[in-house]
Amino acid sequence: MKFAMIGAGAMGLRYGILLQEAGNDVTFIDTWQPHIDKIREQGGVYQMRDHQDRHLVKIKLETPESYNGDPDMLIFFTKQMQLNEYLRRCAHFFNDRQYAFTCMNGMGHIEKLQKYFADDKIIGGTALIATVLPGPGEVDFMGKRGAGKLNMCPLTENPDEMTHRLFDELQKAKMNPTLTDDFTGTLMTKVIFNSVINTICTMFEIPMGEFGNFPGANDMARQLIDEAYDICARADIHLVSSRQEEIHAIDINTRIDMPLHYPSMYQDMTKDRPTEVDYINGYIAALGRKYHYEAKTHLFVTQAVHLAEFHRQNL
Ligand code: NAD
């Protein structure tokens, strides 16, 4: 299949390189000039796995303006606040035959994609995998080959032939896809998961295991999860895990699967980039207001992360 990765950051590179290794035609599209310059100078991207085995991977890299190909599938991996600008700059090569797939964190991106793609061409998902961009031209895949998994669901909730072809290519690329049947429920379950781990680890600048091993971790998680699940019940969103399953997943992910990992929100903050908190806890709180529910804890932690960003800007 012919893919265009829109955003060649940590996740765009991970998905794109694995799809390329599985035999697909992949072009990476990016706008961050130091990254573009470094990749061109090196003749590719230096890829590591868990900080080891640093080696050069050749990739095809374009900017939105220089690309004029016609991919079957566009995979969007930008940060939430970058997406509108990417869509505007890439729109000249979009057509109504192409599909848009994304496993970005947070919420708000689907409405933006809908301005450019028909509903039956949008496939959403969630990625349970950790990847780091240590600097321009370098990417570090965390976890062993075949680690991590993803959920995917077409916006129509009716998988067509292209959804199945994408699923097959992701499976060949060892990305462990699962096809789910509830679009919003799938995405919101991950938003709630991130609303606990990403946010708390970012506020306190700690790796995930330090949160997971804290004796009060379950109580903190329970407070955020209860508010979010109450709101989703009011909004008639059917989450794919129960409250207890979500707490259990957070416990395993932080203590056992990735204790040394710092979530991407933390990585953004420490690189003086804005975080996605408004699209995660902020989104949950805004959804609550729509249904006359004041998500006090989500509102508080959203501002706490902004305070941490503000503090860093003033260092
Ligand atoms: P990223 O920040 O690595 O890359 C996104 C874009 O930002 C790319 O265009 C990249 O070139 C650019 N960029 C990277 N560093 C920059 C800098 N210092 N200054 C300016 N531009 C820079 O983002 P990502 O980690 O690939 O995340 C994409 C989406 O996937 C987000 O919604 C994220 O929450 C989600 N996600 C990430 C992970 C992860 O482990 N990284 C896991 C699951 C989901």
Side-chain angles (χ1 to χ4, degrees):
M1 203 187 288
K2 198 168 176 184
F3 287 95
M5 306 303 303
I6 314 294
M11 292 296 277
L13 284 169
R14 186 163 199 166
Y15 273 58
I17 289 172
L18 292 176
L19 286 165
Q20 180 171 296
E21 284 172 2
N24 294 285
D25 177 351
V26 181
T27 303
F28 296 83
I29 294 165
D30 208 81
T31 60
W32 184 30
Q33 202 57 46
H35 193 43
I36 295 169
D37 294 344
K38 197 78 185 171
I39 293 171
R40 292 202 169 132
E41 179 195 312
Q42 296 171 165
V45 177
Y46 277 101
Q47 187 223 307
M48 291 166 280
R49 191 173 285 278
D50 290 329
H51 317 312
Q52 310 283 318
D53 185 29
R54 188 174 182 274
H55 63 281
L56 190 67
V57 179
K58 284 191 180 159
I59 62 165
K60 286 192 278 184
L61 178 70
E62 301 279 350
T63 63
E65 289 71 25
S66 69
Y67 184 62
N68 59 10
D70 182 10
D72 307 306
M73 181 78 56
L74 299 118
I75 303 190
F76 288 87
F77 265 128
T78 69
K79 288 283 160 57
Q80 286 280 351
M81 41 283 181
Q82 299 171 310
L83 182 59
N84 266 338
E85 175 72 2
Y86 263 97
L87 284 164
R88 188 185 63 73
R89 289 176 62 174
C90 292
H92 68 93
F93 61 78
F94 295 165
N95 62 51
D96 56 14
R97 198 189 52 78
Q98 296 163 338
Y99 282 67
F101 173 53
T102 179
C103 288
M104 286 164 53
N105 281 336
M107 280 297 239
H109 52 318
I110 302 302
E111 292 87 332
K112 290 174 190 136
L113 290 175
Q114 281 177 298
K115 292 195 179 133
Y116 294 86
F117 300 91
D119 286 3
D120 64 356
K121 294 284 189 285
I122 296 176
I123 305 171
T126 59
L128 280 140
I129 198 165
T131 313
V132 175
L133 202 67
E138 293 206 31
V139 65
D140 197 351
F141 294 3
M142 311 309 289
K144 296 187 182 67
R145 185 172 280 276
K149 52 189 178 178
L150 69 94
N151 292 316
M152 55 186 280
C153 185
L155 181 54
T156 58
E157 298 176 349
N158 277 320
D160 61 3
E161 195 206 326
M162 274 297 271
T163 309
H164 288 293
R165 279 183 62 196
L166 173 65
F167 179 93
D168 291 345
E169 293 308 329
L170 292 166
Q171 202 162 42
K172 271 193 243 160
K174 300 200 172 13
M175 306 192 72
N176 306 319
T178 299
L179 199 52
T180 65
D181 56 11
D182 188 312
F183 185 84
T184 310
T186 300
L187 269 57
M188 276 305 288
T189 304
K190 177 77 187 315
V191 171
I192 297 169
F193 181 88
N194 289 134
S195 79
V196 178
I197 302 178
N198 285 29
T199 309
I200 293 174
C201 292
T202 303
M203 275 161 59
F204 291 100
E205 304 194 15
I206 51 173
M208 284 163 42
E210 215 167 306
F211 170 63
N213 285 309
F214 167 57
N218 278 3
D219 288 342
M220 290 176 88
R222 165 69 71 180
Q223 177 69 23
L224 289 162
I225 285 171
D226 276 344
E227 280 185 7
Y229 272 64
D230 289 350
I231 291 165
C232 287
R234 289 189 183 201
D236 203 22
I237 295 171
H238 302 276
L239 298 163
V240 298
S241 318
S242 68
R243 295 175 194 225
Q244 203 46 48
E245 285 166 349
E246 189 88 330
I247 288 182
H248 181 66
I250 288 168
D251 180 48
I252 299 296
N253 193 256
T254 53
R255 273 190 319 105
I256 297 169
D257 292 347
M258 290 195 274
L260 302 178
H261 183 63
Y262 287 90
S264 57
M265 197 188 279
Y266 166 89
Q267 291 169 35
D268 286 335
M269 192 183 71
T270 51
K271 287 178 187 158
D272 296 326
R273 297 179 72 197
T275 70
E276 292 181 302
V277 70
D278 288 337
Y279 303 87
I280 300 177
N281 302 83
Y283 181 87
I284 294 168
L287 186 64
R289 286 219 166 118
K290 198 168 154 198
Y291 291 94
H292 312 292
Y293 185 111
E294 192 75 347
K296 289 185 181 148
T297 323
H298 284 281
L299 284 165
F300 182 85
V301 297
T302 302
Q303 292 310 330
V305 171
H306 285 316
L307 174 59
E309 292 169 331
F310 179 75
H311 166 68
R312 283 205 156 251
Q313 279 161 15
N314 292 313
L315 280 180

